[in-house]
Amino acid sequence: MAIWVVYESLWGNTAAVAHAIAEGIGDEAKAVSTASADPAEAVGLRALIAGAPVHGMTLPTTQSIATATAHKVNDDHAEPRTDEPLMRDWLDGLPELRIPATAFDTRVRGPLGRGAATAIIRAEASRGCTLLAQPKGFRVDFRNAGPEQADLLKEGELSKARAWGAELGALLS
């Protein structure tokens, strides 16, 4: 049975974290975007880890994405990916699950940089999932903005994600 690390990602930061978590978990884990993972197929999973960026202290909305993408950090900043389904909609499509689950988010430092992982945990619990581990936040810094996808991540965050993935893998074995 597979383990999915499902993500919604605008500038590739959350996607990079998801891939690092999956790598840390091991061969059984697969990082998949909300565009490529059918929620109905989650019934065959062994575990679910889901992640998204924080927008306005919760999961992104169509409006928050429009606002975020209208104000690029600088002219060199990578183009956002806006064609993937929202994590909130993907979670709404999940069937009843009886599997362990957890969440992560990408966030800025401070009190406004929290909330997406909490919303994901609530949605997973409403589908019958049990909490595998406390959710984790991975930091971005807009001063790092450049032309590459995932360039907003603070140094060391991908190593932190791999290590957390290894912890999750140990919990699941």
Side-chain angles (χ1 to χ4, degrees):
M1 291 172 54
I3 299 167
W4 277 358
V5 183
V6 180
Y7 62 86
E8 172 188 354
S9 188
L10 289 174
W11 283 284
N13 302 295
T14 311
V17 169
H19 284 275
I21 291 167
E23 183 181 317
I25 292 171
D27 293 339
E28 199 176 3
K30 181 178 177 185
V32 291
S33 73
T34 55
S36 60
D38 182 351
E41 293 177 13
V43 294
L45 295 178
R46 184 165 156 228
L48 173 65
I49 296 97
V54 175
H55 280 206
M57 297 175 49
T58 192
L59 290 168
T61 64
T62 303
Q63 183 177 359
S64 73
I65 288 173
T67 301
T69 58
H71 300 94
K72 286 176 64 170
V73 177
N74 60 43
D75 290 339
D76 293 332
H77 194 203
E79 290 298 319
R81 296 184 231 166
T82 58
D83 57 342
E84 296 177 347
L86 297 171
M87 178 58 73
R88 62 178 61 242
D89 295 339
W90 190 88
L91 291 165
D92 284 346
L94 282 174
E96 188 71 19
L97 300 172
R98 298 282 182 219
I99 60 173
T102 192
F104 67 97
D105 57 31
T106 50
R107 57 176 69 166
V108 295
R109 182 178 177 194
L112 298 179
R114 301 185 184 277
T118 303
I120 293 169
I121 290 290
R122 270 193 227 111
E124 290 169 338
S126 76
R127 297 298 191 263
C129 294
T130 57
L131 186 63
L132 170 63
Q134 289 301 311
K136 207 54 129 175
F138 298 90
R139 297 218 1 244
V140 297
D141 186 338
F142 288 100
R143 294 176 292 188
N144 294 345
E148 303 299 320
Q149 291 285 313
D151 59 10
L152 296 177
L153 286 168
K154 289 190 67 83
E155 190 173 325
E157 293 301 277
L158 293 179
S159 295
K160 183 174 136 183
R162 274 186 216 89
W164 189 56
E167 290 173 24
L168 296 174
L171 289 170
L172 290 164
S173 56

